[in-house]
Amino acid sequence: QRPDCKYDQSRSGTTTNIKYVCTKPPSQGEIEVTTLGPERYTMKLRGSGGPNNRQIAMQGEGQWLAADCGKLKPPGRAR
């Protein structure tokens, strides 16, 4: 969470809804995260803001694959 933003969060069942309003830069929107199980989720975001009050919409999903990523290293770390 950012200190220049206010958040309003609610939950219903496995879905968490977050409304946000930020001042730097001015922006606002809504995020919906639905837990599909202990290792899966979906996410939707709709918002607007920035210098031209641009609209943004994103959706995605995540799933736990394994604790060991093999030779793949996290971004920004020496290999």
Side-chain angles (χ1 to χ4, degrees), residues 49-70:
N52 298 317
N53 198 35
R54 295 192 183 240
Q55 302 291 312
I56 186 171
M58 296 189 308
Q59 64 181 31
E61 59 183 66
Q63 180 172 339
W64 175 264
L65 298 177
D68 184 353
C69 295

Side-chain angles (χ1 to χ4, degrees), residues 31-47:
I31 304 167
E32 177 184 282
V33 180
T34 302
T35 302
L36 302 175
E39 298 178 347
R40 285 185 65 213
Y41 70 91
T42 61
M43 179 275 303
K44 295 178 186 176
L45 177 140
R46 287 184 147 337

Side-chain angles (χ1 to χ4, degrees), residues 1-15:
Q1 293 188 3
R2 296 175 12 195
D4 59 314
C5 298
K6 291 185 180 181
Y7 301 90
D8 181 24
Q9 182 173 320
S10 64
R11 186 175 187 155
S12 177
T14 60
T15 300

